[in-house]
Amino acid sequence: MAVVARDSDPGAAAGASRPAAASRLIASMAGLDWLAKIWWAFLSISLFAGLWELCWAMGWADEKLLPPPHIFLDNIAEQGRYFNTATRWQVGQSMTEGPSAFESVLITGAATTARVFVGLIIASVLAIGVGVLVRYYRFFDRLVLPTITLLSPVSPIAWLPVAIFLFGIGNAPAIFMVVVALFFHMVLATINQIDTVNTNLINVARTMGASKAQIYARVIVPAILPGMLQVLRMNLFGAWMVVLVAESTGVGYGMGQVIMLARNTFNPSLVFFTIAVIGVLGFTFDWLLRLAQRRILYWLPDTAERLRVL
């Protein structure tokens, strides 16, 4: 026998008020969502650094080979002066001249970030354009796609001599390396995204009298935009890996040159300090890209939160 609680029943009122109170609490905490994310990010990094420090304290890691964070972060001013690679390679200039240690880190980090950003933009525009043309024109598909598929497995490091032959030393070879590393994979990803577009959308556009060009411009390209932004984010990390290799050949100044300097001088503290700077820059760049993705694709649901409640 089922028992039905009346509205005047105190138990029913209390039971109904609990979900409402929980909803108000969640709504009040929504404005502090960014603070919670910062807290969890700080906790995650602190846990990793704590485990590293524990390995050092237990004697499992040699501080001369694997210095813990409190060692290579303790002398930031000393490590930062090694980032002044632009002045170091000038004849007759000493390391004490030019920008300060902090300014050198900012200049070097900004230079590497700019190369990543420019290469990522060029590769994205070219790859999406070529991918659309491959599916738009059958002749272009047969003429270009086999070559792209052939060059896609080639390691970006193999293109390093080609970049030096074509552009010499400077920013151009580093940007070229980033473009080559991302272009072929992004073309194939664009083609795959186009092939997976819902055919119902295309059929509706045809029924409404849209031309082939209008279908691609107003149906297919907007439909593949979410997937391409996700591909762009994944390739961001690949761009950071490639630009460091390119900068090690000599581009004036960059994070890759600092890594090579640390290796040649056997300076593990400088290696890990540079890795920390690269990690901060990559994390910030990825955060900005995810923020832009949420702004552009505002209509997409938050699938991560939806899956967590399963």
Side-chain angles (χ1 to χ4, degrees):
M1 178 178 177
V3 178
V4 179
R6 298 178 181 177
D7 294 341
S8 58
D9 190 353
S17 63
R18 291 193 188 99
S23 301
R24 289 194 298 269
L25 178 61
I26 294 175
S28 63
M29 294 177 61
L32 300 178
D33 183 60
W34 62 272
L35 187 60
K37 291 181 179 180
I38 293 177
W39 160 252
W40 283 108
F42 176 78
L43 182 61
S44 175
I45 297 173
S46 299
L47 178 61
F48 174 76
L51 292 176
W52 195 343
E53 293 284 354
L54 179 62
C55 292
W56 169 79
M58 298 294 293
W60 298 338
D62 188 354
E63 66 177 62
K64 295 182 179 179
L65 300 177
L66 297 173
H70 82 273
I71 291 181
F72 66 80
L73 293 178
D74 184 55
N75 52 356
I76 295 180
E78 180 181 352
Q79 303 299 338
R81 64 188 179 89
Y82 290 102
F83 282 72
N84 190 13
T85 54
T87 303
R88 181 181 297 107
W89 298 118
Q90 297 177 5
V91 178
Q93 298 289 336
S94 64
M95 292 178 56
T96 58
E97 299 182 7
S100 63
F102 180 73
E103 293 173 344
S104 299
V105 174
L106 291 181
I107 293 172
T108 305
T112 301
T113 303
R115 296 181 187 112
V116 171
F117 181 76
V118 173
L120 195 65
I121 294 299
I122 295 176
S124 302
V125 173
L126 292 178
I128 294 176
V130 172
V132 171
L133 290 176
V134 165
R135 280 295 176 258
Y136 192 89
Y137 297 105
R138 184 182 298 272
F139 175 77
F140 198 81
D141 183 352
R142 296 176 177 177
L143 183 66
V144 175
L145 188 57
T147 303
I148 293 177
T149 307
L150 176 67
L151 297 177
S152 181
V154 179
S155 172
I157 300 178
W159 291 95
L160 183 57
V162 179
I164 297 176
F165 296 157
L166 293 177
F167 302 102
I169 302 299
N171 291 318
I175 297 175
F176 173 80
M177 288 282 293
V178 175
V179 173
V180 169
L182 305 183
F183 172 74
F184 301 107
H185 295 164
M186 293 190 69
V187 169
L188 297 179
T190 303
I191 296 173
N192 180 70
Q193 292 289 330
I194 294 175
D195 293 340
T196 56
V197 172
N198 192 343
T199 55
N200 293 331
L201 300 176
I202 300 176
N203 293 333
V204 170
R206 286 176 176 173
T207 303
M208 298 178 67
S211 63
K212 183 177 180 180
Q214 290 175 332
I215 292 176
Y216 269 85
R218 301 185 180 183
V219 177
I220 294 180
V221 172
I224 68 174
L225 185 58
M228 291 310 302
L229 286 177
Q230 189 65 27
V231 171
L232 183 66
R233 181 191 173 193
M234 294 297 102
N235 282 289
L236 169 65
F237 303 109
W240 274 99
M241 299 176 188
V242 173
V243 76
L244 296 178
V245 177
E247 288 180 344
S248 64
T249 61
V251 294
Y253 48 91
M255 306 293 289
Q257 278 200 350
V258 178
I259 290 288
M260 292 299 297
L261 175 66
R263 187 202 68 173
N264 295 334
T265 58
F266 194 74
N267 190 345
S269 294
L270 180 59
V271 171
F272 290 108
F273 177 75
T274 309
I275 290 175
V277 174
I278 295 172
V280 171
L281 292 175
F283 180 86
T284 304
F285 210 160
D286 178 67
W287 175 76
L288 293 175
L289 188 59
R290 285 187 284 115
L291 183 62
Q293 182 178 356
R294 285 195 297 268
R295 296 291 184 181
I296 296 173
L297 308 176
Y298 59 89
W299 66 88
L300 293 181
D302 190 351
T303 56
E305 295 298 331
R306 187 175 60 186
L307 291 175
R308 289 192 182 100
V309 300
L310 294 178

